[in-house]
Amino acid sequence: MGNALGCIQVEESTLGIKETFGEFENVLTPGCHLMPWCIGSELAGYVSLSVQHLDVRCETMTKDNYLVTVVASVQYRALADKAIDAYYKLSNPKEHIQAYVFDVIKAIVPTINLAPLPAESNYIEKSVKDQLDKVMSMYGYKIVRVVVDNFEFDESVKTSIKEIVEALILRAAENEQVETEKVEREKQAQIETDFKYYSGMGTALQHQAILNGLKKSVAEFTSNVPGTSAKDVMDMILVTRYFDTIKEIGALTKSTSELWS
């Protein structure tokens, strides 16, 4: 009925392209519009402003010659102020986007080795989005988001990845063990150094105490016994110490004899 009366309805989040005798006339916003077909007016088509989704699978080689399939998810939408470009300049925006995604991925992935490839997903995403933004804006489209969330490998590659990861884990464990042993050696060396230092300090203090005691004994003896010199006192102390040592040796010898008798 609407078509017979020359009226059409444009849905929400959609723009209509109106032509007169095959020539663009204007962009129709959501709502009801008069379309007098009798004077050559017609609805050429629609431009959706909703976000579109496209998954692109790109097979390529890594730097170390492993075959990998990179899966990139692209979200894009037409710009309302460039609806004319979006409708007339590209007949199939998905194919155009896919071609540029291929170009970027095939340029980046071959420069990266297999093992670090998943960690470079953010870099790949940014590179793809920057390139698509620059190109697709000329055709009336905006790239909302690019996500590289999957890398697919065949079984032989998966085995290689597993071996690489296991080797990296083993190397990290070995490095940690070496570092632990190094710390332990340094700790033990510090303990020995501290022991020698404090042992030396103890011996030095012991010798100092002996010397102080001898000085005090000599001073007291020479003051109480007139006519004696420090040498006389030292000779007497040495003789006394000599006899004490002989006595201790004798006692030790007697004990050893009794033990073996």
Side-chain angles (χ1 to χ4, degrees):
M1 185 69 177
N3 289 337
L5 295 176
C7 292
I8 61 122
Q9 180 176 314
V10 178
E11 301 294 335
E12 192 67 36
S13 298
T14 305
L15 298 176
I17 303 298
K18 180 181 179 182
E19 293 180 349
T20 300
F21 294 115
E23 184 178 356
F24 171 75
E25 182 176 333
N26 62 6
V27 176
L28 306 179
T29 57
C32 187
H33 298 272
L34 183 64
M35 191 70 63
W37 55 269
C38 58
I39 59 173
S41 295
E42 65 174 345
L43 180 67
Y46 295 98
V47 174
S48 174
L49 300 181
S50 300
V51 175
Q52 308 292 314
H53 185 90
L54 174 64
D55 286 331
V56 181
R57 300 171 61 85
C58 179
E59 189 176 79
T60 185
M61 300 290 289
T62 63
K63 185 178 180 180
D64 43 2
N65 296 320
Y66 287 99
L67 187 64
V68 58
T69 298
V70 181
V71 182
S73 298
V74 181
Q75 295 179 348
Y76 65 99
R77 65 178 178 85
L79 297 170
D81 58 343
K82 292 186 176 182
I84 301 172
D85 292 335
Y87 184 79
Y88 286 104
K89 286 189 175 181
L90 283 180
S91 59
N92 192 329
K94 290 188 176 183
E95 288 185 359
H96 206 69
I97 291 173
Q98 181 173 282
Y100 277 98
V101 173
F102 278 177
D103 289 344
V104 176
I105 290 178
K106 286 179 177 289
I108 293 176
V109 173
T111 67
I112 305 172
N113 285 329
L114 176 67
L117 182 60
E120 297 294 333
S121 59
N122 289 340
Y123 170 64
I124 299 174
E125 290 170 357
K126 185 178 184 305
S127 299
V128 171
K129 187 176 185 304
D130 289 347
Q131 180 65 19
L132 287 177
D133 271 335
K134 183 165 51 178
V135 173
M136 296 305 293
S137 63
M138 297 186 300
Y139 298 101
Y141 287 90
K142 174 180 175 58
I143 303 303
V144 178
R145 189 183 182 194
V146 175
V147 178
V148 177
D149 57 358
N150 194 14
F151 297 89
E152 298 178 357
F153 314 96
D154 59 34
E155 288 304 318
S156 62
V157 176
K158 289 180 181 179
T159 301
S160 297
I161 293 176
K162 181 180 178 181
E163 292 174 352
I164 291 172
V165 171
E166 289 176 349
L168 290 174
I169 293 174
L170 180 60
R171 185 181 303 171
E174 290 174 348
N175 291 338
E176 183 177 355
Q177 179 65 26
V178 169
E179 189 63 26
T180 301
E181 292 176 354
K182 178 183 176 183
V183 171
E184 190 61 33
R185 287 196 301 270
E186 291 176 350
K187 187 186 297 184
Q188 188 61 35
Q190 186 62 45
I191 292 174
E192 293 177 359
T193 300
D194 292 344
F195 176 77
K196 291 177 181 178
Y197 171 77
Y198 289 113
S199 294
M201 288 289 292
T203 302
L205 291 174
Q206 184 181 15
H207 291 168
Q208 186 64 44
I210 293 173
L211 290 175
N212 290 339
L214 289 174
K215 286 175 64 177
K216 184 177 180 181
S217 297
V218 170
E220 291 177 352
F221 196 89
T222 53
S223 62
N224 293 328
V225 182
T228 59
S229 64
K231 183 177 183 304
D232 295 333
V233 176
M234 289 301 298
D235 289 343
M236 184 181 65
I237 291 174
L238 289 174
V239 169
T240 302
R241 183 57 185 159
Y242 170 75
F243 283 115
D244 287 343
T245 302
I246 293 298
K247 183 178 178 181
E248 291 174 0
I249 293 173
L252 179 62
T253 303
K254 181 179 179 182
S255 299
T256 303
S257 300
E258 290 175 354
L259 179 65
W260 290 98
S261 60

